[in-house]
Amino acid sequence: MTAPKPATGAPETGTPKTGAPKTGAPKTGERDGDLRRPLMRGAGVAVLGRMGALVEAASLPLFVWAYGATAYGLFAAGWALVKVTSALSERGMAIALQRYAAGAEPAAARAAVGLALRTSLATATALAALLSLTAALWAPVLAGPGAAAGAGAAGVSDVWALGLYVWALPLWTLLEVATAAVRATARFGAEVRVRIAYEQGLRLVFGLALAGAGLGAAGLFLAHGASLLIAGLLALRLVRRSYGAPVAALWASDRAAAPAGLDRFARAMIAVPVMRRLMSEAPVMLLSALAGPAAAAVYAVARKVASVMQVLRAAVDYAMAPLLAGSARRDASGAGARDLADFARRVVVIVGPPLAAGLLVVRGDVLRLFEPHFAAAALPIAVLVAGRLVEALCTPATVVVEMTRGHWLSTLNTAAGLALLLAGTPALMILVPDLSATLAAALAAAAGLALAGGLAALEARLAATAPGPGAAAVKGGWARALLGGLAGAALVAAVAGPAAGLAPFAGLGAAIPALVLAVWFGLRLGLPADDRQALRRR
């Protein structure tokens, strides 16, 4: 178990001179409420980690300019295949490490990491070999009609590039599982630099260099493979430093020394990341099949804009999962976990509404970057932003359920949301023919997100024990946090809304400083004195 620092109650995220994680029981009288500061610090690091998405977005026009739209589209299709397949190859280990490695004894934690690396990499290698050997069957379909017909050298080149690129699957799986192992020790930040500077940054540098060398589409695949290899090796270096043992020793660790239940929990959680990936990708595929690629493209733009709201879920999930798992091990009553979750909810309630308001104000400016017919994405953006806001508000409960309750609950929640999305899209298109296909998919997706999050919130609420002496303070904190969030949203709308009508992109320029001011003001107004004092502690 990771020992808290005496001064702050935060978990010691460093390692002793031997490199092994520190262990020990928490001090008498120590409260898990003191984890509020490390929670916010980890969430801040996660927000920075989401900047990798901005690097990827900024690199898109550069890659299109260097390689052409067709080559970049082929790469995007191959990258989507790798990401979806990695949800299977991880075998649930990235989630399981947050529950079982966080707070475990050093030997058990090392064995857990070794088991996770062996299991996930063996699965990823087998899947990559299968995909590579069968590339002649599936790659022409993924590459498009020209390759499927075998027309010319271009088709052969596309099939070859995709068949080679699937070997990025073990590298991406390694990066995902290794950074999850580092995050389980509550060492926030180092893996973010690996993801942004190396996986994203080097891909851009290598990609432009290979384009200049005239490699064609294969250069983009090779560039990403090289950046993933470097990032994966650096992630392993972080694992060695975090767990105080060479990677070879972790790899050879005794399976029996791993925490009991880790492998079983991981297997049960395999379906959750797969379904979450489908929650994001299924509407595009459905629209392409039912209404054509044009409708799918409009939805894809709307989803990209609304995905900014996911920074809230990513931040809370990133920082809260390992801290909550350690808290649950120290406090079997669950009171500390509820305290931490309540604090996270208050922060999300304060930050979420201003962020949503900002996106609604600037969506017109963003859509100006696209062709005129993409203006139809404005209403779907609003619907998806609402769905993502509900998802964010329920994220603390979702993490509580994943880390402390039965694993089948998370699977059931995500499955229910996915089922509603898959059934709701065609049902709305049939029952309400005047509704655009894009809006129908957005409504179904938002409803699915809200259902999955709402079920988790209900389960966390039902699982809570009888309220203790702090119940009144929690209720009062909710009302105050909501007031802070609504005030922040009103501030963003009042500042950026009028500016949006003055000139193109004026609203976007006004919304960013207004959002920063709104969050600062909302936290000052919406957090009780105890929360603010905890965040000021050093």
Side-chain angles (χ1 to χ4, degrees):
M1 184 186 304
T2 305
K5 292 180 181 179
T8 65
E12 175 59 71
T13 60
T15 57
K17 292 183 180 180
T18 61
K22 290 184 180 180
T23 61
K27 294 182 178 296
T28 305
E30 183 180 35
R31 298 179 63 250
D32 280 295
D34 292 333
L35 294 178
R36 287 171 289 192
R37 182 171 177 79
L39 174 67
M40 291 295 286
R41 184 171 61 247
V45 171
V47 171
L48 293 177
R50 293 293 292 182
M51 296 300 103
L54 297 181
V55 176
E56 186 172 11
S59 67
L60 191 151
L62 294 175
F63 284 144
V64 171
W65 170 79
Y67 290 94
T70 302
Y72 186 82
L74 181 67
F75 167 76
W79 181 216
L81 174 66
V82 168
K83 286 192 291 185
V84 172
T85 311
S86 71
L88 290 172
S89 62
E90 288 173 26
R91 297 280 298 274
M93 286 296 178
I95 297 176
L97 286 175
Q98 307 310 304
R99 177 165 179 164
Y100 287 93
E105 293 296 327
R110 291 167 183 161
V113 173
L115 176 61
L117 290 173
R118 292 194 304 269
T119 302
S120 59
L121 286 179
T123 305
T125 303
L127 287 174
L130 177 63
L131 289 171
S132 183
L133 291 173
T134 59
L137 300 177
W138 58 265
V141 178
L142 193 62
V156 175
S157 177
D158 291 347
V159 172
W160 175 85
L162 287 170
L164 178 64
Y165 183 61
V166 294
W167 286 101
L169 176 60
L171 300 177
W172 178 250
T173 301
L174 169 64
L175 186 60
E176 288 282 278
V177 175
T179 53
V182 175
R183 191 163 66 250
T185 65
R187 294 173 64 94
F188 301 126
E191 83 283 5
V192 171
R193 293 192 295 273
V194 169
R195 287 179 177 273
I196 295 179
Y198 297 98
E199 195 267 317
Q200 296 285 348
L202 286 181
R203 181 177 72 176
L204 177 59
V205 173
F206 292 161
L208 294 178
L210 292 176
L215 258 65
L220 192 50
F221 291 99
L222 291 173
H224 195 206
S227 68
L228 284 176
L229 176 61
I230 294 173
L233 293 175
L234 290 174
L236 285 179
R237 182 168 175 264
L238 291 178
V239 171
R240 177 182 60 80
R241 292 173 56 188
S242 298
Y243 288 88
V247 174
L250 294 173
W251 185 274
S253 58
D254 187 3
R255 182 190 187 101
L262 181 144
D263 198 18
R264 183 174 62 253
F265 176 84
R267 288 196 302 270
M269 294 301 292
I270 292 175
V272 173
V274 175
M275 289 187 292
R276 284 179 179 168
R277 176 61 60 183
L278 286 173
M279 287 283 285
S280 176
E281 303 295 339
V284 176
M285 294 185 287
L286 273 176
L287 283 175
S288 183
L290 299 176
V298 173
Y299 181 89
V301 170
R303 182 188 63 176
K304 193 68 175 178
V305 175
S307 68
V308 175
M309 292 295 300
Q310 288 182 270
V311 69
L312 293 175
R313 176 186 174 89
V316 174
D317 194 4
Y318 175 96
M320 187 175 170
L323 295 176
L324 189 64
S327 171
R329 291 179 184 274
R330 292 193 295 269
D331 183 6
S333 71
R338 288 194 300 277
D339 286 346
L340 192 62
D342 283 337
F343 171 69
R345 289 188 192 102
R346 289 193 290 273
V347 172
V348 172
V349 167
I350 291 170
V351 178
L355 182 58
L359 288 175
L360 295 180
V361 168
V362 305
R363 56 183 164 157
D365 284 344
V366 173
L367 293 176
R368 285 192 180 96
L369 299 172
F370 300 90
E371 297 176 2
H373 71 273
F374 280 96
L379 190 52
I381 287 174
V383 173
L384 290 173
V385 165
R388 289 295 182 185
L389 177 60
V390 174
E391 178 193 41
L393 294 176
C394 297
T395 294
T398 301
V399 177
V400 168
V401 171
E402 282 186 356
M403 294 295 107
T404 65
R405 310 303 301 170
H407 54 73
W408 61 271
L409 286 176
S410 294
T411 304
L412 177 64
N413 298 340
T414 310
L418 180 60
L420 180 58
L421 184 157
L422 295 176
T425 300
L428 284 172
M429 293 173 63
I430 295 171
L431 297 176
V432 191
D434 293 336
L435 199 65
S436 72
T438 305
L439 183 56
L443 288 168
L449 291 170
L451 177 61
L455 287 174
L458 177 62
E459 291 154 3
R461 181 70 174 176
L462 293 176
T465 58
V474 171
K475 293 179 181 178
W478 265 100
R480 183 170 179 172
L482 182 60
L483 177 61
L486 293 177
L491 177 61
V492 172
V495 172
L502 296 178
F505 306 107
L508 183 61
I512 296 175
L515 179 60
V516 173
L517 179 62
V519 170
W520 177 84
F521 176 72
L523 292 174
R524 294 280 298 178
L525 176 66
L527 288 182
D530 183 47
D531 285 345
R532 297 198 305 274
Q533 182 180 2
L535 296 180
R536 284 195 296 266
R537 291 173 188 158
R538 293 291 187 270

